[in-house]
Amino acid sequence: MHRRITVFTFQVLKSPSIIPTQATQLYSQLNPFARGTNGFALFRLFSFTPLHRRVPDPDDPMNLMKEDGVSVCSQMWVENFREPDRLVSNLISYLRRFELWVLAYQKVCADEIGSYVPRSSITRSALEDLLALRNAVLDNRFKWGARLEFFIKSPKDKTDYESLSKRKIKAILTTTQPAPFQDKLVQEVLLMILEPIYEARFSQKSFAFRPGRNAHTVLRVIRRNFAGYLWYIKGDLSPILDGLKVGLVISALMRDVRDKKVIDLIKLALVTPVITSPIDGMEKKKKTKRKYQKKKVLAEDEPKPDPYWLETFFGFAPEEAEKLPSWGHCGILSPLLANICLDELDRWMEGKIKDFYRPSKSDVIWNSPEGEAEQGNTSWPEFVPTSGPDKTRKMDYVRYGGHILIGIRGPRADAATLRKQLIEFCDQKYMIKLDNESLPIEHITKGIMFLDHVLCRRVVYPTLRYTATGGKIISEKGVGTLLSVTASLKQCIKQFRKLNFLKGDREPDPQPCFRMFHATQAHTNAQMNKFLSTMVEWYRYADNRKKVVNFCSYIIRGSLAKLYAAKYKLRSRAKVYKIGARNLSRPLKERKGQSPEYQNLLRMGLAESIDGLQYTRMSLIPETDYTPFPSNWRPDHEKALIEYIRLDDPKTLEEQKGCIQEQGLVSPQDYISMLVWNYKRNAIVMDQLSLVKSVGLLSSSYRENDDPKNKEQEESEERLHASQIFVTRIMDNITAH
């Protein structure tokens, strides 16, 4: 713009005859003191006089970021938890919000490059590409799984797709490739929009793939609510996580969401085929042994690989948590879609729980008024016999991913009837053929395995004290049962064998961990300490926490001792323990000849500090966490949302005011307003000078009555003088306002 104005003014100054008359008239009207109109005057007009105000560009991404993306997400969560049963029909307004796209870009970049990208560090070109992707999604120009045409690329993707050879293009189009960066962005935006809608509607009986809930929550719920149950049905519905028909998923989604744009996007993600390379047709390359293997150097923007201890702990994942759903191009949306489909099963089971409940008057522990959801106090031991016609009939249910656990208190015939109904429901709703073998009915005495923990019944003999007729106190030994949640040592051995840490079943023998052969002793010990800390946290709520963690510590310590014996040629574990101590904290590699002790080298800073292995003794392992679990438990973020909505409701303020008035109390706000009003009302009636004079008369009368002055009189005079100054200042402020 400035360049065009400069060229035009140069032509005007060169030939004054082309000056338009309208421009000269305009300048003469704006500047009546001008002596004449010439080229220089017109230059001043075009250079310094704004002819129009600049309109903000609607396509500029900087003008679209009006709010913070986190505040937009918070607003969505509050709206959905305020009205959890409403039918959502307009989500395109949130899909247009550019703040959500920027927030999705930050989250996906954190996964891609391994570091968080602040909003101010995003380049303008990346914002323009992100805006182009948003417009393509809104205009139905976006295609899932595109491999050569991108609206936006990953920051670490430096490939020039226009200059690729035909062979590389064919390899990209026919072989398995990771999900494109732009697909992950669209998935993240859809997840941010849909997750608050369904989290406000989901059942409290499901715990997998949801924020604030994990496997520990399931174990605590089982310990709290499943005490006293005799029969258990353990079901595996994990085939649902492999995928359902598109019609079933869309119908489950449209129960609560009726936005066409969002439904079409998810439907296209499910329908678009995923290109995978055939396994049989791949050419088998001969493995060649390399004499010298170069150490891989990571790029600046390349994330570091997961540490060994984290990969090892992932190998300990229980059977119920191993499978993660992945449907088509949905990516991170797949777990949410799986929960949406299985939520119908949760609601059906909640209805069965209410219909099955039959209280008994003689069963005081389980009996509660009006058939509430949480009946009785299950922290007390349940006395035998635990079944019969005079006992309470009750049932409970939890679901973790595709695995369900049902506890039944009553005869086995009721459990068989429920199993038959469950098979029919899954056949009609999900088109999955289940049988009695996939839904076994097991008694509590056999032990039920769930999340690598065994649920069993422990017999206790409490002392019962009661008052008999005549006031005599009688103490008797009773028999009761408690629910025990115990970590499975057999399953722990199986996981260690899978990771090549040991061999053998009856007498497990630790095997050397050769993967850490080239690492230093300090680094190896630090990695295994982190793994042990994670294991201690995983078995936090197991009754045998000390025993199972002590076994893990023994296996890892023996594995490292064998590794060090092979690495430093010490021949046996006993020699390793003799040099490196019980916790392997002393250095095993020593120089030839006489060398100073390790403590002297450590004090001088010439030796590397080595942390010994943790939990080498059972007394160092923490106790089992028996913290009481609330009956109607909710995650912290849901409790904060519900409390915020309750306080934001005008009815809550009215109820608080009504309660204060009924009790004859005054709120602090009303008390302060009453004080201010009294001050203003008194200022109108009484003049400032008269008030000061009245205070002065009081002080003079006080002096006349008591002629002899002492210390008390002097102090009272000082107080009166200070009160005069204080009153005058208050009146000055009131009159000023």
Side-chain angles (χ1 to χ4, degrees), residues 49-336:
T49 307
L51 297 179
H52 61 87
R53 185 173 296 176
R54 186 178 180 184
V55 180
D57 187 6
D59 295 331
D60 188 1
M62 302 303 294
N63 297 330
L64 297 175
M65 292 189 293
K66 300 178 182 178
E67 296 183 36
D68 187 24
V70 177
S71 63
V72 178
C73 285
S74 303
Q75 181 183 357
M76 293 166 57
W77 280 86
V78 171
E79 289 177 358
N80 287 283
F81 270 81
R82 182 179 283 121
E83 299 178 3
D85 299 327
R86 68 187 178 94
L87 191 67
V88 182
S89 59
N90 184 18
L91 291 178
I92 196 170
S93 58
Y94 287 111
L95 204 59
R96 284 198 181 98
R97 297 296 295 267
F98 192 63
E99 299 91 342
L100 293 180
W101 292 87
V102 175
L103 183 60
Y105 181 83
Q106 291 175 303
K107 295 176 69 176
V108 177
C109 279
D111 296 334
E112 287 281 321
I113 64 177
S115 60
Y116 175 74
V117 180
R119 186 172 170 178
S120 57
S121 299
I122 304 175
T123 60
R124 185 175 183 84
S125 61
L127 290 175
E128 292 175 352
D129 294 341
L130 191 62
L131 182 60
L133 176 63
R134 189 207 69 168
N135 295 336
V137 170
L138 294 175
D139 299 339
N140 299 326
R141 291 182 289 109
F142 171 75
K143 294 181 180 180
W144 293 98
R147 300 196 171 189
L148 295 176
E149 298 178 358
F150 303 111
F151 294 97
I152 184 173
K153 293 198 303 183
S154 172
K156 69 175 186 178
D157 188 4
K158 308 299 182 184
T159 307
D160 186 7
Y161 290 92
E162 296 180 356
S163 60
L164 289 178
S165 62
K166 292 182 179 180
R167 183 180 59 84
K168 290 185 178 180
I169 291 175
K170 183 180 178 181
I172 290 174
L173 295 176
T174 56
T175 58
T176 304
Q177 298 288 332
F181 183 74
Q182 61 182 14
D183 286 16
K184 295 179 181 179
L185 287 175
V186 180
Q187 293 164 7
E188 190 68 46
V189 172
L190 290 175
L191 181 65
M192 286 190 289
I193 294 174
L194 292 176
E195 190 176 39
I197 296 173
Y198 286 99
E199 279 296 323
R201 294 165 167 80
F202 279 156
S203 170
Q204 299 299 322
K205 302 292 184 181
S206 66
F207 296 93
F209 318 131
R210 298 183 61 187
R213 295 171 173 86
N214 52 25
H216 278 171
T217 312
V218 180
L219 295 174
R220 299 186 73 184
V221 168
I222 289 173
R223 187 190 291 278
R224 168 67 174 77
N225 297 339
F226 279 64
Y229 291 149
L230 294 179
W231 303 101
Y232 285 82
I233 301 176
K234 181 183 174 184
D236 183 8
L237 306 180
S238 56
I240 294 179
L241 302 183
D242 294 331
L244 286 174
K245 290 187 177 181
V246 179
L248 294 175
V249 179
I250 296 301
S251 62
L253 192 66
M254 290 184 66
R255 250 186 354 222
D256 303 303
V257 174
R258 300 292 176 85
D259 187 86
K260 188 177 183 303
K261 180 70 67 177
V262 174
I263 297 294
D264 289 345
L265 271 174
I266 296 176
K267 187 175 180 180
L268 282 174
L270 293 170
V271 171
T272 305
V274 180
I275 301 174
T276 55
S277 55
I279 300 175
D280 297 335
M282 292 181 65
E283 297 180 357
K284 295 182 180 179
K285 296 182 179 180
K286 294 181 180 180
K287 295 182 179 179
T288 57
K289 293 183 179 180
R290 294 183 179 179
K291 191 174 181 180
Y292 300 104
Q293 188 174 4
K294 293 183 179 180
K295 188 176 180 180
K296 184 181 178 182
V297 180
L298 299 176
E300 295 181 357
D301 55 350
E302 185 177 359
K304 294 182 179 180
D306 290 334
Y308 177 67
W309 69 270
L310 191 58
E311 293 181 4
T312 307
F313 176 69
F314 286 157
F316 267 79
E319 180 186 356
E320 292 81 1
E322 284 182 350
K323 187 173 290 187
L324 187 68
S326 180
W327 296 355
H329 293 278
C330 290
I332 57 175
L333 275 175
S334 301
L336 178 64

Side-chain angles (χ1 to χ4, degrees), residues 449-726:
M449 179 80 70
F450 198 72
L451 289 172
D452 285 355
H453 287 68
V454 180
L455 312 179
C456 54
R457 187 171 61 179
R458 186 176 59 187
V459 180
V460 294
Y461 302 93
T463 302
L464 303 177
R465 293 182 177 86
Y466 60 93
T467 304
T469 55
K472 186 178 180 180
I473 299 176
I474 299 175
S475 298
E476 293 181 355
K477 283 284 184 180
V479 180
T481 58
L482 289 176
L483 182 67
S484 176
V485 181
T486 308
S488 174
L489 197 60
K490 183 179 179 181
Q491 196 72 11
C492 186
I493 293 173
K494 180 182 176 182
Q495 301 287 7
F496 269 122
R497 196 187 307 113
K498 186 172 65 175
L499 296 170
N500 297 325
F501 268 91
L502 56 82
K503 65 178 181 179
D505 294 334
R506 295 183 179 179
E507 296 180 0
D509 185 24
Q511 297 298 302
C513 177
F514 283 118
R515 186 169 177 181
M516 304 293 292
F517 188 84
H518 297 287
T520 61
Q521 184 181 352
H523 179 70
T524 305
N525 287 3
Q527 290 277 303
M528 291 305 155
N529 276 336
K530 291 179 180 178
F531 172 61
L532 279 173
S533 301
T534 314
M535 296 300 295
V536 167
E537 184 63 25
W538 166 235
Y539 292 116
R540 180 176 183 177
Y541 300 101
D543 290 340
N544 60 340
R545 184 186 190 185
K546 282 180 169 290
K547 182 179 178 180
V548 70
V549 173
N550 185 57
F551 174 76
C552 294
S553 176
Y554 161 73
I555 295 297
I556 292 174
R557 191 160 53 93
S559 177
L560 290 187
K562 283 192 173 183
L563 170 68
Y564 294 150
K567 183 177 180 180
Y568 301 119
K569 299 179 181 180
L570 298 175
R571 295 185 182 179
S572 65
R573 283 187 288 176
K575 197 166 185 180
V576 171
Y577 290 139
K578 184 178 180 181
I579 299 174
R582 181 185 176 89
N583 59 353
L584 304 176
S585 61
R586 297 182 64 84
L588 296 167
K589 186 178 181 181
E590 297 181 354
R591 296 178 181 177
K592 294 181 180 180
Q594 298 294 330
S595 60
E597 293 185 358
Y598 171 69
Q599 296 296 336
N600 296 335
L601 289 173
L602 186 64
R603 193 181 303 111
M604 291 184 293
L606 301 176
E608 186 180 7
S609 176
I610 300 175
D611 294 331
L613 290 180
Q614 297 176 334
Y615 312 117
T616 53
R617 300 186 183 277
M618 191 173 285
S619 59
L620 302 175
I621 303 171
E623 296 284 347
T624 306
D625 189 355
Y626 290 108
T627 307
F629 197 65
S631 58
N632 297 321
W633 176 86
R634 277 182 175 271
D636 292 337
H637 70 278
E638 290 188 7
K639 289 192 290 186
L641 280 170
I642 294 171
E643 185 67 17
Y644 174 80
I645 292 168
R646 190 182 67 84
L647 295 176
D648 193 44
D649 191 2
K651 295 181 180 178
T652 305
L653 185 59
E654 294 178 0
E655 291 176 0
Q656 291 176 350
K657 287 184 177 180
C659 181
I660 289 173
Q661 291 177 359
E662 289 177 0
Q663 296 181 2
L665 303 175
V666 181
S667 63
Q669 293 86 351
D670 294 339
Y671 183 71
I672 292 173
S673 61
M674 185 173 59
L675 287 176
V676 172
W677 172 250
N678 289 335
Y679 275 124
K680 289 186 177 181
R681 186 179 59 185
N682 294 333
I684 298 172
V685 178
M686 184 178 292
D687 190 23
Q688 180 179 359
L689 293 175
S690 61
L691 184 61
V692 175
K693 288 180 180 178
S694 63
V695 175
L697 290 173
L698 287 172
S699 61
S700 61
S701 62
Y702 181 82
R703 291 173 184 170
E704 289 176 359
N705 292 333
D706 297 328
D707 289 334
K709 292 184 178 181
N710 50 20
K711 292 183 180 180
E712 295 181 358
Q713 291 177 355
E714 291 177 358
E715 290 177 359
S716 61
E717 288 179 1
E718 290 178 359
R719 291 173 186 169
L720 286 171
H721 182 64
S723 63
Q724 291 178 8
I725 297 172
F726 179 69

Side-chain angles (χ1 to χ4, degrees), residues 367-405:
N367 190 15
S368 66
E370 300 178 2
E372 297 175 357
E374 299 293 337
Q375 296 92 6
N377 183 8
T378 58
S379 62
W380 289 89
E382 183 65 18
F383 298 102
V384 291
T386 53
S387 64
D390 58 339
K391 293 295 179 179
T392 301
R393 294 172 68 249
K394 191 173 179 289
M395 180 172 63
D396 211 335
Y397 158 85
V398 291
R399 179 178 64 83
Y400 188 83
H403 295 261
I404 62 174
L405 183 68

